[in-house]
Amino acid sequence: MFEVREATEPETQAWRDGWAARLRERYAARYRDPGAVAQEVERNLTALAGAGGAVYTVEIGGALAGHLALGGTVARRPGDRRLHDLWLAPQQRGRGLARPLAAWARRRATEAGGRSMSVALAPGEVAGEALFGAYPCVRSRW
C-alpha cells in the first residue's frame, strides 16, 4: 500500500518549508501580532529538531504521497514521542492512508523507546480530531 523511509535532506527541507507555511497560516488566524506568529512557528520547528526527531517520506508506487514528522525525547516527558505533522499530498487525501500512517508512527515511536505518542491539535482541526481522538492530544487553546 505505502512505504515509509527516512526523508533525504532535500525532502526534509521541502517538508519543513511546507510545515512552516502551514503553521504560519494557522497562527496568523489566531494572533494579531506578526512577532507572536513568527515565535510560535520557530518554537514548533525547534521542538522537532530536539533529541532524535526525524522526518519520514511516505511513498506509493515510488511517488511522494506525504510526510510524517516524529519527535524524539522531551526532557519533561522522556517516554513520550510527539507526532508533529502528518501531511498527505492533496491527491492522496481521503484514500484511507491517515490511520495506517498514524499506526506506523506509533510503532516507530515505540521502537525508538517511547511509551506513548501524543499529537498536537489546534482548535477546529476536524480531520485531526476524527483521526486522533483516541490518542493523547495536546490541544492548543487560543
Side-chain angles (χ1 to χ4, degrees), residues 47-137:
L48 176 64
V55 176
Y56 299 91
T57 294
V58 180
E59 294 181 333
I60 296 177
L64 176 68
H67 291 290
L68 291 165
L70 190 59
T73 58
V74 178
R76 58 193 167 134
R77 291 186 310 257
D80 182 48
R81 303 295 183 271
R82 177 160 301 168
L83 180 60
H84 289 271
D85 190 39
L86 189 165
W87 176 84
L88 289 170
Q91 67 273 20
Q92 299 299 338
R93 295 175 191 163
R95 299 183 61 202
L97 293 171
R99 285 195 197 286
L101 285 171
W104 183 93
R106 188 172 193 159
R107 284 191 305 277
R108 181 69 192 107
T110 301
E111 291 166 3
R115 292 188 309 270
S116 64
M117 183 181 82
S118 63
V119 296
L121 296 175
E125 286 190 47
V126 177
E129 287 286 345
L131 178 61
F132 296 113
Y135 286 85
C137 294

